Amino acid sequence: MNHIIRYHLKLALILLIAMVITAGTASAITYNLSTGTVDKTMPDGTVVTMWGFGFTGGPITVPGPELVVPPGDTTLEINLTNNLSDSVSIIIPGQTATMTPVWINPTTGAVTSTGSRIPGDTTSRVRSLTVETAGLGGTHTYMWTNVQPGTYLYKSGTHMQVQVPMGLYGAMKKNSIAGSAYPGRPYDVDQVLLFSDIDPVIVGAVIAGKYGSACANPPCTMTSTNSYKARYFLINGEPFSYSRSAIPIGTAGQTTLLRFINAGSHEFLPVIQGLYMDVIAEDGKPYPFSKSQYSLLLAGGKSIDALITPAASGYIPLYDRSLHLTNAAGSPGGLRVYLNVPNAPQSLTVSRAGTGTGIVRATGLPGGIDCGTDCTESYNLGTVVGLTAYPDPGSIFSGWTGVDAGTETLPSATVTIGAAPVAVTATFALPAIPPSGTSLTLKRPNSGKVKKSKPYKIKWKFIAPPGPTIKIELFQNDLFVATVTDAAPAGTPNKKGKGKGLFLWTVDPTILDGTGYQIRITSTTDPTFVDLSNKTFKIVP
Amino acid sequence: MKRITEKRLILMVSVITMLLLPGVLVAAIPGITGPDFSLTAKTGTVVVDDGSNIFMWGFANGTGSMQYPAPTLIVTEGQLVTVSLTNQLPVNVSIVFPGQTGVTATGGVPGLLTNDAAPGGTVTYTFTAGQPGTYTYYSGTQPELQVEMGLVGALIIRPLQGPKYAYNDAATVFDREYLFVLSEMDPPIHVKVQQGKFDEIDNSEAYPVAWFMNGRAGMDTVAANNDPIFPHQPYAALALMQPGERVLVRMVGAGRDLHPFHLHGNHHRVIAKDGRLLKSGLTTDLSEGAFTTSVGPGQTFDAIWSWTGANMGWDFYGHKGPNGEIGQACVDAGVALQPGESLADHCKPIPVAPPDNKDMFFGPLYTGSPYLGGAGPLPPGEGGFNPYGAYPFMWHSHAEKELTSYNVFPGGMLTWALVVPPGLLQPEP
């Protein structure tokens, strides 16, 4: 080889070595994460400001971004920038790392030592399980060598009873080889299912600087997490609501690896419907023999890996059988998702029409539509979507177009998804007010005044049976004010079908005194039975 | 053993006496066999052991009364099962069958887990009974409220190998079987439902203060099946067995909480979970010995429990020879072995001298003799609550708070297993 080529080779070799050195070891992966705050809106409208991780330069999320360590990499580095005011850290239970705990004086909060307590010091407490990243822009690099395959939870190791429920957690995963989490257990598609919960009261106190025995913004309203009471329950950062879309997994016949992790403060008990899971590992350690179960006891901090191989396309319900299925007191909500085994999806779009108002929800599985806010969703071929129309108070539902034949007039209809997109319209109407003297007649109040200080008898009569119950609504100046009652007994018809009824109305003290009021009565089963006060009346104390 | 009030024990002795009369069959697990079932969702009440009532929603068999837990459905693998549900509640209701595949629903309206029956309406569920085992069924409509209200029960699928097998596996043979449906309740939620105040219910705040086994609380668990005092709670939770018998214990988590089910007297061997044998392939046994099994909500477990005199070091029958011989002389006299004895301990007397009665404090179940089936002199007023000389073992939730009803012990999730002298129980059919 002549000396020029040898020179070029040497140069190339030097450059190659230089590249390897500047890239770090060949078997390491590095992530740049930052902390910050993020507003999460719960389905009931409650906004909770939380703490979370995000890729530096990207959005903060709860849970934080999914960290993937490729099969060939044995080292994970996280360069953390902490924009919160409190110090934080990162730990990954199950992965080994050198841990240097941080001890503090429990009264002043000042750091007293790192590593071990100073001999003779019996009062300092651990605030962090490992080195802290200082707040307000501090940085630190955390490193794990000999990273093991499996499914893991990364989270703050600092003041954990506060910082983990505040949202500082996320999933980390590594495969033993491409397509296999563990040797001999291949999969086609994987999906993390990270369970967690939120106590908005404690989170709110932390954000407002009112948490702790010495807080930034006295008075301190919450001195500990002893009273932790979760009100919202999330899978992958979202509670269930009608608008939540199903989570796509492998197609029929493919094997999906479900990576369950629990970052919450309770154990949960997810159950799967219609098939069994092949449970293959726990805490990142594969079982020597897998177990066939439809349920998992998912303790706090735990990870469990399970394979499923659905035989057909469709939606697989997965929900918490310890029944954390609400959003605060609202239902449905909480820990419920649908796993979508996809097949030729088409979109279903809902529109609303008419002079009245109302909402439409997909009340059959897998949900996905809550219209007003979410009026379109894709569903697999053959799905029978159940839709329900809910008229607003004062409106009535008058029918559907685009739904399955035979369900056009029912408040709950079905739409069978075929080979083309579907458009459905729900029509809401304001019922026409008929002249007096028709089937149902309001006898009082038709004028005069209604006193708040004692119950008022609303009376009506009818010349044909109006059905079992009457809805009574209050209007002022033609605008709807309140529902007096959804279902007052209508009164028993005599042999000729005539009769009368009354309702004892205690006027709600929040209704303002004034003029221009009218009562409207409507049969709950037949909206043609309707009447309105002939003239307006006053409401007085 | 904690002191038990006498009036509660009257229940117990009446049960034992009645069930042990010669010729009385010890029931296999009571239930209905279908495979076509007609269930009605309706209201009812249950009685707690303090005498109070709780308003319930539950399933009834056809036009019968609501019962809690729901009727135990017993079918055989491979049968085509249909469950027609008629709804007499004021809200939608449905049924889901965890562990069953290919369940189809006809009629009703689409709900979030399956088709619901609207108030006054019906829906029919059809499925082929899958692998044998112990399963559960419950309402899939707003389960956080409806399971609390009582719409939950057990489903048993028998193997083709035969009704005395739990699974198609010779190792799962049993002599007797018992079902334990474990649940709990937050009664103020039931009051609000009864009053129609659904908007005031916060199911995320459910806080149980009453615990149940097979729908009965406290000492009521040992009253007989179909005891007329409990018109809506037909199932007992008392387990009776003879020494050496293999008892299949089917456990169902039916509430929202996990319960550590603790069986005194011996370890049990958990052979299956969620209706699947703990076994890999044909030969790898993954069953586990335990004395407490954490039964999570919605989960099921099958276990085999047996009591023998193994390793006791003395003959628990108190055998003696025709002239009162004990020890080797009793063996040489040809005194026969009885069920559950170990050869090594045959004829060995108890190796302690029982203290004088005046130095003892008596539990109400002590017969005056340490031997199974035995009786001995007792001071006046003591004893009488264990007329057949059984060995009683408490089977209960080991979350001690759950042994109360409204904060009063004894109550809640407790029952007994009674090892009775052989010959007193008929074989299970």
Side-chain angles (χ1 to χ4, degrees):
Chain A
M1 200 184 298
N2 69 32
H3 69 280
I4 296 174
I5 293 170
R6 206 180 297 150
Y7 168 79
H8 283 293
L9 268 175
K10 206 163 157 190
L11 193 61
L13 192 60
I14 291 167
L15 280 171
L16 181 65
I17 293 166
M19 274 168 54
V20 166
I21 289 171
T22 50
T25 57
S27 66
I29 184 155
T30 304
Y31 287 103
N32 299 323
L33 293 187
S34 293
T35 60
T37 59
V38 58
D39 283 351
K40 288 188 79 72
T41 304
M42 297 295 104
D44 59 6
T46 304
V47 179
V48 188
T49 304
M50 301 184 72
W51 292 350
F53 293 105
F55 289 127
T56 300
I60 300 294
T61 57
V62 177
E66 210 169 276
L67 303 181
V68 181
V69 177
D73 288 0
T74 53
T75 298
L76 167 65
E77 278 186 10
I78 298 179
N79 297 322
L80 182 64
T81 306
N82 178 15
N83 299 315
L84 298 169
S85 48
D86 290 19
S87 304
V88 302
S89 57
I90 300 185
I91 61 168
I92 307 180
Q95 300 292 358
T96 51
T98 306
M99 307 281 276
T100 312
V102 175
W103 298 83
I104 59 163
N105 177 314
T107 314
T108 65
V111 174
T112 53
S113 64
T114 60
S116 313
R117 262 195 312 206
I118 296 164
D121 172 6
T122 55
T123 55
S124 288
R125 299 186 195 162
V126 169
R127 178 170 72 196
S128 295
L129 299 184
T130 192
V131 177
E132 294 180 346
T133 310
L136 301 174
T139 59
H140 184 76
T141 296
Y142 295 90
M143 191 160 80
W144 293 263
T145 56
N146 195 22
V147 176
Q148 295 300 301
T151 303
Y152 299 88
L153 180 67
Y154 70 87
K155 55 187 177 180
S156 175
T158 302
H159 199 196
M160 295 170 68
Q161 70 270 39
V162 169
Q163 295 198 5
V164 177
M166 284 302 293
L168 288 170
Y169 49 80
M172 182 232 120
K173 62 187 191 187
K174 179 183 172 183
N175 281 347
S176 57
I177 57 167
S180 278
Y182 307 98
R185 304 314 312 251
Y187 63 85
D188 298 301
V189 171
D190 71 331
Q191 177 64 49
V192 168
L193 295 170
L194 194 154
F195 287 62
S196 62
D197 52 46
I198 302 178
D199 175 344
V201 175
I202 289 185
V203 170
V206 172
I207 293 290
K210 292 189 169 298
Y211 178 88
S213 46
C215 59
N217 189 9
C220 310
T221 54
M222 186 77 51
T223 55
S224 83
T225 54
N226 272 346
S227 59
Y228 187 92
K229 178 103 192 66
R231 303 287 284 150
Y232 299 102
F233 305 91
L234 306 88
I235 298 179
N236 294 347
E238 245 190 280
F240 179 79
S241 66
Y242 283 113
S243 59
R244 181 165 195 174
S245 296
I247 297 177
I249 60 170
T251 53
Q254 285 193 318
T255 296
T256 295
L257 171 66
L258 299 175
R259 301 181 188 262
F260 291 86
I261 311 175
N262 186 357
S265 309
H266 298 79
E267 70 212 13
F268 297 119
L269 211 132
V271 296
I272 199 163
Q273 181 167 300
L275 76 172
Y276 273 76
M277 296 185 276
D278 188 17
V279 188
I280 62 171
E282 202 176 304
D283 291 348
K285 292 298 183 209
Y287 296 139
F289 303 98
S290 58
K291 306 189 237 185
S292 194
Q293 296 173 198
Y294 60 74
S295 69
L296 296 177
L297 179 54
L298 191 64
K302 194 137 205 71
S303 84
I304 300 181
D305 294 295
L307 300 173
I308 57 171
T309 307
S313 64
Y315 299 96
I316 298 173
L318 183 84
Y319 60 93
D320 173 32
R321 181 56 178 81
S322 60
L323 306 180
H324 296 95
L325 300 174
T326 62
N327 299 326
S331 182
L335 301 174
R336 177 197 296 266
V337 288
Y338 296 90
L339 305 177
N340 176 7
V341 184
N343 177 26
Q346 295 291 343
S347 70
L348 167 60
T349 305
V350 174
S351 314
R352 295 166 301 163
T355 51
T357 57
I359 59 174
V360 174
R361 291 180 162 147
T363 48
L365 73 95
I369 288 182
D370 194 353
C371 181
T373 49
D374 177 6
C375 295
T376 189
E377 187 73 4
S378 279
Y379 295 102
N380 293 324
L381 175 69
T383 307
V384 178
V385 182
L387 297 175
T388 302
Y390 298 92
D392 290 337
S395 290
I396 58 170
F397 167 70
S398 53
W400 304 93
T401 61
V403 298
D404 294 340
T407 67
E408 298 92 335
T409 56
L410 304 174
S412 286
T414 58
V415 180
T416 304
I417 303 296
V422 184
V424 160
T425 305
T427 306
F428 299 97
L430 289 174
I433 308 300
S436 278
T438 51
S439 323
L440 178 67
T441 307
L442 179 70
K443 289 176 63 188
R444 68 194 296 262
N446 281 312
S447 64
K449 53 184 151 193
V450 171
K451 290 186 185 177
K452 282 176 164 175
S453 55
K454 60 176 196 177
Y456 180 88
K457 285 187 189 154
I458 298 175
K459 291 187 176 176
W460 58 86
K461 64 178 183 185
F462 50 86
I463 56 173
T469 47
I470 299 286
K471 179 159 75 169
I472 306 178
E473 296 163 302
L474 179 65
F475 289 79
Q476 185 182 32
N477 301 326
D478 292 328
L479 294 174
F480 174 78
V481 173
T483 303
V484 170
T485 179
D486 275 315
T492 315
N494 64 17
K495 274 186 291 205
K496 296 185 187 169
K498 298 186 185 184
K500 58 186 182 178
L502 73 86
F503 179 79
L504 205 56
W505 177 27
T506 305
V507 183
D508 194 308
T510 61
I511 290 177
L512 302 170
D513 300 341
T515 58
Y517 283 103
Q518 287 172 291
I519 282 288
R520 186 173 79 191
I521 52 175
T522 320
S523 158
T524 57
T525 49
D526 186 345
T528 60
F529 285 83
V530 59
D531 197 17
L532 188 68
S533 304
N534 295 340
K535 296 187 192 168
T536 62
F537 57 89
K538 287 191 221 186
I539 291 184
V540 298
Chain B
M1 182 166 157
K2 292 173 174 129
R3 194 147 180 91
I4 298 176
T5 59
E6 287 194 11
K7 78 178 174 194
R8 300 192 192 280
L9 283 174
I10 289 167
L11 258 179
M12 205 165 155
V13 73
S14 67
V15 157
I16 299 165
T17 314
M18 189 172 79
L19 283 178
L20 299 189
L21 285 173
V24 172
L25 277 176
V26 175
I29 293 176
I32 50 180
T33 53
D36 295 316
F37 300 97
S38 188
L39 299 179
T40 308
K42 54 169 76 167
T43 63
T45 56
V46 297
V47 177
V48 188
D49 56 327
D50 68 336
S52 63
N53 293 323
I54 302 181
F55 178 76
M56 305 290 290
W57 287 347
F59 293 113
N61 182 16
T63 55
S65 323
M66 165 262 158
Q67 63 171 88
Y68 179 70
T72 301
L73 310 180
I74 304 176
V75 297
T76 305
E77 66 172 312
Q79 283 186 306
L80 184 66
V81 178
T82 63
V83 181
S84 293
L85 173 61
T86 304
N87 184 7
Q88 293 180 2
L89 299 174
V91 297
N92 286 7
V93 75
S94 62
I95 302 179
V96 291
F97 301 90
Q100 302 309 311
T101 54
V103 181
T104 57
T106 344
V109 292
L112 284 177
L113 289 180
T114 184
N115 283 12
D116 295 348
T122 61
V123 63
T124 300
Y125 305 102
T126 309
F127 60 94
T128 302
Q131 295 191 32
T134 303
Y135 300 90
T136 176
Y137 69 97
Y138 46 87
S139 175
T141 312
Q142 204 186 8
E144 68 273 16
L145 177 63
Q146 299 201 4
V147 168
E148 163 73 44
M149 289 303 294
L151 289 158
V152 57
L155 163 67
I156 292 174
I157 300 181
R158 297 212 182 281
L160 288 171
Q161 189 149 349
K164 303 309 288 272
Y165 292 87
Y167 293 83
N168 287 312
D169 187 311
T172 69
V173 70
F174 60 87
D175 296 302
R176 253 167 247 287
E177 56 171 355
Y178 293 100
L179 171 67
F180 298 93
V181 177
L182 309 177
S183 63
E184 71 295 311
M185 285 190 217
D186 178 355
I189 290 179
H190 298 240
V191 171
K192 293 226 149 69
V193 169
Q194 186 171 22
Q195 296 170 338
K197 296 182 178 173
F198 295 95
D199 291 344
E200 293 183 23
I201 298 171
D202 185 348
N203 288 293
S204 77
E205 303 247 329
Y207 187 79
V209 291
W211 291 269
F212 300 82
M213 295 175 94
N214 295 348
R216 306 241 191 107
M219 306 291 296
D220 296 348
T221 54
V222 303
N225 288 322
N226 301 310
D227 188 318
I229 298 176
F230 309 105
H232 300 286
Q233 295 149 280
Y235 298 149
L238 176 70
L240 299 173
M241 63 279 286
Q242 296 172 149
E245 287 183 335
R246 289 170 58 88
V247 179
L248 174 65
V249 179
R250 300 180 187 266
M251 312 174 189
V252 174
R256 52 164 37 97
D257 285 344
L258 176 144
H259 302 291
F261 190 25
H262 180 68
L263 282 59
H264 281 241
N266 212 350
H267 279 71
H268 53 277
R269 177 150 289 273
V270 180
I271 59 170
K273 180 173 176 178
D274 285 356
R276 291 291 180 270
L277 268 184
L278 291 172
K279 192 169 186 176
S280 182
L282 293 173
T283 54
T284 305
D285 179 12
L286 301 176
S287 68
E288 325 173 324
F291 52 67
T292 305
T293 295
S294 293
V295 184
Q299 299 188 308
T300 72
F301 293 85
D302 294 295
I304 300 286
W305 188 93
S306 238
W307 191 88
T308 68
N311 301 319
M312 279 179 70
W314 50 282
D315 181 334
F316 66 89
Y317 288 103
H319 288 123
K320 290 186 174 161
N323 299 315
E325 303 93 321
I326 57 173
Q328 191 58 45
C330 155
V331 174
D332 294 340
V335 175
L337 281 165
Q338 282 187 275
E341 276 199 80
S342 74
L343 188 57
D345 293 335
H346 184 49
C347 287
K348 282 193 187 159
I350 193 167
V352 295
D356 195 287
N357 277 359
K358 70 175 182 327
D359 298 324
M360 291 208 284
F361 175 77
F362 295 97
L365 296 174
Y366 184 56
T367 61
S369 157
Y371 300 113
L372 186 69
L378 288 169
E382 299 287 358
F385 290 103
N386 190 356
Y388 292 94
Y391 285 157
F393 299 108
M394 215 166 110
W395 286 5
H396 62 101
S397 166
H398 212 293
E400 305 285 359
K401 170 177 151 166
E402 299 181 354
L403 299 180
T404 61
S405 300
Y406 300 105
N407 205 30
V408 175
F409 176 88
M413 202 177 285
L414 61 80
T415 189
W416 273 261
L418 298 182
V419 176
V420 301
L424 270 171
L425 302 179
Q426 296 273 6
E428 226 172 57

